[in-house]
Amino acid sequence: MLNSVKTTGERKRPPPVKVLSGQLRTAESLGPADGCVIRPGAGRSLPASLVWMQGTVLELQRDGDAALLVDETGTFTVQGVKNIPKGKPCLSQGKYVMVMGVIQAVSPEPVIRAVKMADLSALTALHRRMWKLEVEDLQQVLA
């Protein structure tokens, strides 16, 4: 069994939480380094700093390092895409993508710094239909 090693100043992050942009927009911010608390239902709360989101690319910024995406609950910005090995090829307008990243801001518009990206366009209709159910299922288990 492998032990996780922490270096000085490094904090262990919990696994990514699947979220919708609307949930981040109404989340309680804990500060730039600490993420936020999502309220997935009455009386339930879920801390999150690393998130997994899916959406359609609306536009790319001129420098190509950020993109505006939209899911069924609203828009969100993804930054740092130039640093993702496979991030840039999947970033063209209209593509449906998965983004895993660290929360930078929740309001007025969610902003995440990308850690991983993947193009899901081959099965967009399936991924889009299943996404809200996947989010709800994981949040019920975690909260």
Side-chain angles (χ1 to χ4, degrees), residues 28-80:
E28 174 189 343
S29 179
L30 298 174
D34 298 318
C36 66
V37 176
I38 298 165
R39 308 276 180 216
R44 298 184 349 214
S45 63
L46 182 61
S49 60
L50 184 64
V51 293
W52 175 340
M53 301 177 76
Q54 290 182 189
T56 302
V57 178
L58 289 180
E59 63 184 51
L60 297 173
Q61 285 188 355
R62 288 184 196 174
D63 66 359
D65 198 36
L68 181 66
L69 278 69
V70 64
D71 67 13
E72 64 183 71
T73 62
T75 58
F76 59 101
T77 299
V78 179
Q79 298 176 333

Side-chain angles (χ1 to χ4, degrees), residues 2-6 12:
L2 296 175
N3 293 326
S4 67
V5 178
K6 279 183 13 178
K12 186 178 178 185

Side-chain angles (χ1 to χ4, degrees), residues 8 10 13 15 19 42 55 83-84 104 124 132:
T8 304
E10 185 180 315
R13 289 194 187 273
V19 297
N83 299 326
I84 307 303
Q104 301 297 296
T124 299
K132 188 173 182 185

